[in-house]
Amino acid sequence: MKTGLVIEDDENNMVLITRLLEKSGYRTLQATTGLQGLEAALRQKPDFIILDIQLPDIDGTEVLRRIRSSEIGDTIPIIAMTSFAMSGDRERLLKAGCNEYIEKPIDPQRVISQIRSVIGDIS
Amino acid sequence: MTKDCGSIRRHTGEDMMGPSNSIKLRKTSVAVTVIISIMAVTAILICGLWVLLNRIIHDRWWGQLHKEHVILADQLSESLVLPIWNFDNSEIGKILEGGMKNENIFGIVVNTTGKQARMYGRMRDTQWDIINAGQEFPTKGLLVEERDIRFANELIGKVRVVASSKFIEGFLHQNNVFMFSVLVSFELILALSLFLLLWRIVLKPLQGIEAYAIEVSSGNAGSTNIQAFQFQGELESLRSSIEKMFIQLGTRYKELQEEVKRRTESEERFLTIFNSVNDAILIHDLDTGSILDVNQKMCEMYGYTREEVRSIDVGTLSSGEAPYTQQEALEWIGKAAKGNPQLVEWRCKDKSGRLFWVEINMRRANIGGIDRLLVVVRDITDRKTSESALQESEERFRGLIEKAPVAISISRGGRTIYVNHKYLALYGFEVADERVGQPVFDEWAPESRNDILERSQKRARGEIVPSTYEGTGQRKDGSHFPVHVVVETVELPDGPALMAFLSDVTERKQAEKALRESEKRFRHLFEGAVDALFVYDQQGRIVGVNEGVCSSLGYTREELLQLSVPDVEVGLHPADLAPIRDRVLSGQSVIVEGVHRRRDGSTFPVEVHVALFTATEGPLFFAAARDITERKRAEEELTQYRAHLEELVEVRTAELSEANKKLKELDLLKSMFIASMSHELRTPLNSIIGFTGMTLQGMSGELNDEQKDNLTRAYLSAKHLLSLITDVIDISKIEAGRIEAYPEGFVLREMVNDAIATIEPQLKDKGLTIEVDVPPETNLTTDRKRLLQCLINFLGNAVKFTESGGVTIASWKADGQVFLSVSDTGIGIAQKDMHRMFEPFERLETHLRVKTGGTGLGLYLTKKLAIDVLRGDVSVTSLEGQGSTFTIRVPEDIRQAQKASIERSGGDIV
């Protein structure tokens, strides 16, 4: 069973995402700030990370950058999540190093299929 | 002679031996002949003498022998009488013995007669004394002297004295042997001395002459000095005549050698030329025209071997097409054979049947003493083809020069050889012949002819002459006009020539004159102006002033030209001068007030008009300064009156600007509020949508129909609210200028497909068709997401207001712009409502109103996006009840549109 780390400051969204993941057969770890998320990522070494970009302490892109430059950073799949929905966000984030990009409001089934394809989990 | 010399030249070694051997043989035989002849003659003479002498001796000796013999026989016949008579044998023996003492007596025989006949004999060599009677005594060949021995007249016996010439013969024999040896010795000595004599006076000189001759014959005359030999008598004259002859021969030989060498070289050279010349050469018989000989090139050209050529006729070498037939060829040959050289172009055929053009030169020639026809054939196939090209090219260039819009003349040696049409027009000639051949001088007026002469003299000396010259030209009718000429040396096929391009500069001269007059006028104006007029450059240096400046400032003109603007203008800070300068440079005329300082330090206020003045050396500034001391004073009075009024205005203005400031702050606040609300509003909505979506998708267990319907309504309302918020935020962002385009390149067709995918469910629900007329190759660079948003808005509208029929998406390009239109077969729009279509919150009164959703902001936002973000525009056409077409236009590449816009706005700022 693979473990996904969800870094999200909004409680409702956190519940939504974790519930969605658990129903789809993943274990979840939770972090509500960027630094917490960074620490959890480095210590717990999850199989993948779902990362909100708007975080209260450090920006999601910064978290992304730090994870990528850390020891686990090379291969871990990271899925960015944002409600900015601005032109250019997608390119900017993919360039910054995330593997997939999800726009809020999410479509639950679509999100699951996106995650599966990113982490290479066919089942 | 020639041949001999040739062979000598060629076989020097052999011939060095040949003649010398033959001379030696001849010499030997002459000497031997002479010596043997002399020896034979002397031998015969001596032998003859000897025989004569021998005969004399022999005769004398014989005479003496005979005398002695007779005497002895007489003596014996007397002395033997008694002994015989007495039979005294011993006495007889003694007497006989005594008789034998004579050497010449061979024997003595005494025969006695009577009863006691006896024979007594004494023979030399044969020792017998008494020989029996009857015994024959060999007397053959001997001299016999017989005597009767008588005693008293009675014969008592006979005595025979036999004398022999043996002794004489022996003596003579001995004498002969001796004489022979003497003769041989004599002959040997004679031969030797003759040889020596001959050697010395004949052979040796002859050897010298011979060696000399050999040297002469081998061409080395000179190393042997023939005069060193001693000659005598006739030989001396022989020597001198031989020497003369040899000298003559040597000279002649040398000449001949040179002649032979020259002829051999000439012959070789001829053969080399004959075979290596690039033309084919044929030698024909004068009468029959048959080919006698050809050179190597002919074989190459026609592909026949030399042997083959001799068996073919001229017809075989011709193409055969009239007029290049054998008959025609023979006619030409006939003409040439009569002594008229012929030059014809001929179409030939080689062995392989290839046809080619040649030029044939035929002439009669004496070859080896016989008159022949010499035919030289040159392949001119290349020339033929290039001839036409050359002609064409020449015509083209002639045409170019002829039609050139400038007068052109070409001259050589001071005489015109060609002029073009324009030239004729310029100089008033009708035809070129009027000018061609005339001196170049004639085209110049007398005042310019000295210059022209000087130029041509310089050119002749090889000095460099400027290629351009201006002078006065003279037309045919004698009128003068200013001419500008450019002369270039050109290489024409027949040698270098001068090509002159001439132009009438009357207009330019007039313009120059007008300019000078105008300048003079302006100078008057400048100087006579009341205002002080300055001209200064970009560094502020004064480069020109009028008299007004000098009088108002108290400087001399020279002093002013050493000063800069800051030396005079003291009212403005030097830093303030820069913006003024920039404004003037941008083309504006600027009026500033300043303070000028006089030479004595006093100052006065001025109003200065500064304008740009473009001179040939670059932009200059033109400043007109006017003393405004009087005006200032008047102004000051006015100011005092106005001051009170201004105070009031100031208060009001301050109040207004305060209000304005507040308004601006409020506006900013609104934008900030909206921007921050976007996140805050959307976060809970996202949750609502997320959770209801998850539940609706059955992730939290099965729902019954009512639950599903309830949740669907909540879900759709939330989505509607979200899109409303999003639209409002987008609009406010656009209005606040906070949305920028993110350009990316993409294929339009793919984007259209994405848009159709989002609208597909609604299309299916209503059963509408969709038609796409977008060229698959259309690419564009713009903000894909925003363009997609616009297209989805159009499509949403189209689907919303169409109940049956379909939607068509079309695209086309024009003038760097891409047009994208969405047409529907819906309700259409009334003419009166058209202008309100793109206003916010305009929901048209329709019978469908209840059924249609939407924010009322879609088209407004679309227009805002199209204009402010995508830098394009939107438009609509419609027929009520038949359908509408919404079109968006965007630049093909937004980056270029952005750039152009930045430049434009940048210009405005400046």
Side-chain angles (χ1 to χ4, degrees):
Chain A
M1 189 181 275
K2 289 192 173 172
T3 306
L5 169 62
V6 183
I7 308 171
E8 165 67 83
D9 63 329
D10 183 73
E11 193 192 340
N12 283 327
N13 268 329
M14 178 67 93
V15 171
L16 180 64
I17 296 295
T18 51
R19 201 168 282 173
L20 198 57
L21 287 174
E22 276 157 15
K23 281 183 188 297
S24 306
Y26 295 103
R27 256 183 339 156
T28 56
L29 295 167
Q30 300 175 12
T32 53
T33 69
L35 290 173
Q36 267 183 28
L38 201 57
E39 194 187 337
L42 295 176
R43 187 170 299 169
Q44 313 269 353
K45 298 194 172 50
D47 295 306
F48 62 93
I49 298 169
I50 293 178
L51 173 67
D52 189 22
I53 294 303
Q54 255 205 344
L55 291 171
D57 51 352
I58 55 172
D59 184 57
T61 26
E62 178 63 18
V63 177
L64 187 61
R65 195 186 63 73
R66 290 198 199 172
I67 292 172
R68 281 288 177 235
S69 56
S70 76
E71 62 208 50
I72 61 163
D74 283 350
T75 51
I76 188 160
I78 301 174
I79 296 134
M81 196 162 58
T82 175
S83 59
F84 269 128
M86 289 281 285
S87 292
D89 275 359
R90 184 186 158 82
E91 283 68 28
R92 186 171 57 81
L93 289 167
L94 289 176
K95 206 171 169 189
C98 74
N99 303 70
E100 187 52 275
Y101 169 82
I102 300 169
E103 258 181 48
K104 292 177 190 174
I106 59 163
D107 179 332
Q109 277 182 347
R110 189 169 136 79
V111 165
I112 290 302
S113 69
Q114 273 178 308
I115 290 167
R116 281 190 175 142
S117 89
V118 166
I119 65 172
D121 194 347
I122 311 301
S123 62
Chain B
M1 195 64 179
T2 307
K3 203 179 170 189
D4 283 352
C5 287
S7 73
I8 284 167
R9 199 179 66 78
R10 277 179 215 137
H11 310 288
T12 315
E14 201 178 294
D15 282 292
M16 286 295 281
M17 296 305 292
S20 80
N21 276 354
S22 66
I23 288 168
K24 240 172 210 163
L25 274 174
R26 202 159 57 236
K27 176 188 74 187
T28 309
S29 64
V30 165
V32 167
T33 309
V34 169
I35 291 168
I36 286 174
S37 305
I38 293 173
M39 279 169 74
V41 169
T42 49
I44 288 165
L45 280 174
I46 289 170
C47 284
L49 275 174
W50 174 248
V51 168
L52 199 65
L53 192 69
N54 210 19
R55 176 64 57 186
I56 293 166
I57 292 171
H58 189 267
D59 286 354
R60 186 184 291 173
W61 281 35
W62 268 101
Q64 197 173 340
L65 179 65
H66 188 65
K67 207 182 193 175
E68 282 175 6
H69 198 195
V70 172
I71 291 169
L72 186 61
D74 290 341
Q75 280 178 347
L76 280 175
S77 64
E78 283 174 22
S79 58
L80 277 172
V81 175
L82 286 177
I84 290 170
W85 185 260
N86 297 327
F87 295 110
D88 188 353
N89 282 348
S90 65
E91 187 63 26
I92 292 166
K94 276 182 193 166
I95 292 164
L96 287 180
E97 205 66 46
M100 285 300 284
K101 279 180 186 164
N102 192 328
E103 281 176 329
N104 291 315
I105 302 302
F106 182 69
I108 302 166
V109 178
V110 178
N111 287 329
T112 57
T113 56
K115 286 186 287 191
Q116 289 179 342
R118 279 190 190 180
M119 184 193 267
Y120 300 87
R122 189 86 176 150
M123 290 300 260
R124 208 177 290 267
D125 299 334
T126 309
Q127 204 62 48
W128 50 273
D129 281 323
I130 295 172
I131 307 161
N132 288 331
Q135 196 177 349
E136 206 51 53
F137 186 79
T139 57
K140 199 180 175 196
L142 299 173
L143 299 169
V144 180
E145 203 70 38
E146 204 176 56
R147 296 286 187 272
D148 294 336
I149 304 165
R150 288 174 184 265
F151 186 72
N153 281 340
E154 192 195 344
L155 187 61
I156 59 171
K158 278 185 179 181
V159 68
R160 273 193 297 175
V161 177
V162 179
S164 172
S165 63
K166 196 178 170 186
F167 181 73
I168 301 167
E169 294 294 334
F171 175 76
L172 284 178
H173 181 72
Q174 275 178 8
N175 229 8
N176 277 343
V177 170
F178 170 74
M179 276 307 289
F180 182 73
S181 55
V182 166
L183 181 66
V184 169
S185 309
F186 173 75
E187 287 289 321
L188 281 172
I189 290 163
L190 182 67
L192 192 65
S193 47
L194 271 175
F195 181 78
L196 285 174
L197 187 68
L198 277 171
W199 173 258
R200 192 171 144 67
I201 64 167
V202 179
L203 294 182
K204 212 177 160 201
L206 277 177
Q207 262 183 356
I209 294 173
E210 179 194 337
Y212 184 67
I214 290 167
E215 275 177 10
V216 169
S217 65
S218 64
N220 295 331
S223 68
T224 306
N225 187 3
I226 196 169
Q227 288 166 339
F229 301 110
Q230 295 296 316
F231 294 93
Q232 294 174 354
E234 289 86 349
L235 273 175
E236 175 56 33
S237 53
L238 176 68
R239 181 198 65 81
S240 69
S241 48
I242 283 176
E243 191 184 348
K244 275 178 198 160
M245 187 183 82
F246 281 173
I247 289 168
Q248 282 290 316
L249 275 177
T251 317
R252 180 73 184 134
Y253 175 59
K254 267 187 192 163
E255 281 169 14
L256 281 171
Q257 242 179 343
E258 273 162 28
E259 176 68 19
V260 167
K261 198 175 162 191
R262 206 158 49 233
R263 286 207 189 167
T264 313
E265 275 173 10
S266 157
E267 188 183 345
E268 279 167 9
R269 209 159 40 228
F270 166 72
L271 270 175
T272 313
I273 293 168
F274 185 65
N275 279 323
S276 64
V277 69
N278 207 27
D279 294 334
I281 300 176
L282 298 93
I283 299 170
H284 289 269
D285 186 280
L286 213 52
D287 303 319
T288 63
S290 60
I291 300 163
L292 300 173
D293 197 7
V294 297
N295 70 343
Q296 189 56 35
K297 177 68 186 180
M298 189 277 167
C299 300
E300 287 165 17
M301 194 185 283
Y302 287 90
Y304 293 100
T305 65
R306 251 176 142 131
E307 288 65 39
E308 285 172 329
V309 170
R310 292 199 182 101
S311 61
I312 59 173
D313 54 35
V314 287
T316 317
L317 300 176
S318 302
S319 72
E321 353 167 302
Y324 308 114
T325 59
Q326 168 153 24
Q327 197 188 344
E328 198 77 15
L330 287 173
E331 260 177 52
W332 284 110
I333 288 173
K335 280 184 204 169
K338 283 185 190 123
N340 308 316
Q342 302 291 324
L343 182 67
V344 287
E345 281 189 8
W346 202 256
R347 188 82 168 141
C348 282
K349 186 172 71 181
D350 71 3
K351 194 181 180 183
S352 65
R354 177 181 70 95
L355 298 180
F356 55 102
W357 280 104
V358 298
E359 186 183 76
I360 301 181
N361 196 332
M362 292 183 271
R363 61 174 65 242
R364 206 174 150 136
N366 187 295
I367 298 166
I370 307 166
D371 274 349
R372 301 286 191 205
L373 186 70
L374 184 64
V375 177
V376 180
V377 181
R378 178 169 297 178
D379 189 336
I380 55 161
T381 310
D382 290 346
R383 195 179 81 192
K384 269 274 179 190
T385 48
S386 66
E387 245 172 31
S388 58
L390 191 70
Q391 207 168 354
E392 202 180 303
S393 150
E394 193 188 321
E395 270 168 26
R396 196 160 51 234
F397 279 106
R398 185 173 281 273
L400 271 176
I401 291 184
E402 192 55 48
K403 289 191 185 111
V406 58
I408 297 172
S409 83
I410 301 174
S411 65
R412 185 184 289 127
R415 283 191 185 270
T416 307
I417 57 173
Y418 170 83
V419 294
N420 73 345
H421 191 72
K422 193 78 182 175
Y423 179 95
L424 297 178
L426 183 63
Y427 279 87
F429 290 106
E430 263 130 47
V431 289
D433 288 348
E434 290 181 276
R435 191 68 195 85
V436 171
Q438 301 301 313
V440 177
F441 243 44
D442 291 357
E443 70 189 22
W444 296 97
E447 65 209 67
S448 289
R449 288 185 185 174
N450 268 341
D451 292 346
I452 296 298
L453 186 67
E454 198 178 315
R455 280 169 64 83
S456 73
Q457 281 168 350
K458 273 190 178 177
R459 202 176 280 122
R461 286 198 298 268
E463 289 176 31
I464 292 166
V465 181
S467 62
T468 61
Y469 170 73
E470 268 186 30
T472 309
Q474 182 167 307
R475 291 197 190 86
K476 184 190 176 190
D477 60 10
S479 60
H480 291 179
F481 64 105
V483 177
H484 176 86
V485 63
V486 182
V487 183
E488 294 294 343
T489 307
V490 290
E491 279 299 329
L492 297 182
D494 48 351
L498 289 176
M499 190 171 191
F501 300 85
L502 303 121
S503 42
D504 183 347
V505 291
T506 309
E507 282 177 24
R508 205 190 70 203
K509 290 272 175 194
Q510 279 170 355
E512 280 171 10
K513 194 178 164 200
L515 194 68
R516 276 197 301 276
E517 279 169 8
S518 157
E519 195 187 327
K520 201 169 155 192
R521 260 200 312 277
F522 278 104
R523 169 68 55 184
H524 273 299
L525 224 54
F526 182 75
E527 288 297 341
V530 179
D531 289 346
L533 303 179
F534 295 83
V535 179
Y536 60 93
D537 64 15
Q538 293 203 59
Q539 284 72 45
R541 289 190 295 261
I542 295 168
V543 296
V545 289
N546 71 345
E547 194 50 42
V549 179
C550 301
S551 60
S552 67
L553 295 182
Y555 288 103
T556 67
R557 196 184 288 263
E558 288 69 34
E559 283 169 337
L560 280 163
L561 292 177
Q562 302 296 319
L563 299 178
S564 292
V565 172
D567 297 324
V568 175
E569 172 55 62
V570 292
L572 293 170
H573 192 270
D576 294 337
L577 292 170
I580 296 168
R581 189 189 63 204
D582 292 342
R583 273 171 64 194
V584 173
L585 277 175
S586 74
Q588 295 178 44
S589 175
V590 177
I591 302 172
V592 289
E593 282 189 11
V595 177
H596 279 188
R597 183 173 61 192
R598 296 194 184 86
R599 192 168 192 252
D600 57 13
S602 60
T603 60
F604 58 100
V606 286
E607 184 188 75
V608 187
H609 288 246
V610 188
L612 194 64
F613 162 57
T614 309
T616 46
E617 60 266 35
L620 293 176
F621 298 93
F622 179 74
R626 180 168 293 179
D627 189 340
I628 52 168
T629 312
E630 287 303 315
R631 199 175 81 194
K632 275 279 172 191
R633 199 162 47 225
E635 269 176 8
E636 232 160 80
E637 283 171 15
L638 201 64
T639 308
Q640 277 171 11
Y641 290 116
R642 213 164 47 197
H644 181 62
L645 206 62
E646 271 183 5
E647 266 170 38
L648 278 175
V649 172
E650 252 169 46
V651 171
R652 274 294 147 79
T653 312
E655 282 171 6
L656 275 173
S657 70
E658 188 65 24
N660 211 0
K661 202 171 150 193
K662 271 185 182 163
L663 271 176
K664 274 186 186 164
E665 278 170 6
L666 274 174
D667 195 48
L668 190 66
L669 205 62
K670 182 196 85 175
S671 290
M672 281 170 64
F673 168 74
I674 290 167
S676 63
M677 284 305 279
S678 78
H679 186 67
E680 300 305 323
L681 283 171
R682 280 198 297 202
T683 304
L685 268 174
N686 283 340
S687 288
I688 294 168
I689 293 164
F691 280 111
T692 49
M694 191 166 81
T695 314
L696 272 171
Q697 283 168 7
M699 287 185 183
S700 312
E702 278 301 304
L703 299 174
N704 64 31
D705 288 349
E706 193 185 338
Q707 285 171 331
K708 202 176 253 179
D709 183 60
N710 291 347
L711 267 177
T712 303
R713 282 171 191 281
Y715 179 77
L716 289 176
S717 297
K719 280 209 115 175
H720 181 69
L721 183 57
L722 184 63
S723 64
L724 190 64
I725 290 166
T726 307
D727 283 358
V728 169
I729 290 164
D730 277 350
I731 288 164
S732 68
K733 275 181 179 169
I734 291 166
E735 284 177 346
R738 285 187 55 192
I739 290 191
E740 280 175 25
Y742 289 87
E744 59 181 304
F746 58 93
V747 177
L748 181 61
R749 181 67 175 264
E750 285 169 10
M751 191 207 79
V752 170
N753 289 345
D754 286 357
I756 293 168
T758 64
I759 212 79
E760 200 124 43
Q762 285 107 297
L763 280 168
K764 272 189 186 158
D765 285 351
K766 288 187 146 186
L768 299 175
T769 60
I770 179 120
E771 201 177 308
V772 181
D773 181 16
V774 176
E777 71 277 5
T778 303
N779 272 299
L780 70 169
T781 304
T782 188
D783 192 323
R784 186 182 195 274
K785 189 174 168 127
R786 293 300 176 187
L787 185 61
L788 181 62
Q789 193 178 354
C790 293
L791 182 59
I792 290 172
N793 275 344
F794 280 164
L795 280 173
N797 261 6
V799 172
K800 214 184 289 173
F801 296 104
T802 305
E803 290 304 306
S804 64
V807 179
T808 305
I809 304 171
S811 170
W812 64 94
K813 272 204 274 190
D815 201 17
Q817 305 283 318
V818 176
F819 294 83
L820 186 62
S821 75
V822 176
S823 307
D824 61 52
T825 54
I827 54 172
I829 307 153
Q831 197 60 40
K832 64 180 171 66
D833 297 326
M834 290 282 267
H835 66 281
R836 296 194 289 138
M837 284 308 296
F838 293 102
E839 294 299 310
F841 300 108
E842 285 296 341
R843 304 294 302 277
L844 303 181
E845 294 295 324
T846 72
H847 63 284
L848 291 167
R849 180 178 177 178
V850 182
K851 285 167 81 179
T852 56
T855 60
L857 287 170
L859 286 174
Y860 178 64
L861 177 61
T862 302
K863 186 182 179 183
K864 283 258 169 210
L865 282 172
I867 293 171
D868 293 338
V869 180
L870 300 176
R871 296 177 189 273
D873 204 354
V874 289
S875 61
V876 59
T877 58
S878 180
L879 274 178
E880 196 168 11
Q882 303 213 349
S884 317
T885 299
F886 286 86
T887 307
I888 179 166
R889 168 182 67 77
V890 291
E892 202 172 351
D893 188 344
I894 194 168
R895 290 168 303 187
Q896 283 174 11
Q898 283 171 333
K899 213 157 82 185
S901 151
I902 285 164
E903 276 164 14
R904 215 170 30 249
S905 63
D908 289 347
I909 289 161
V910 171

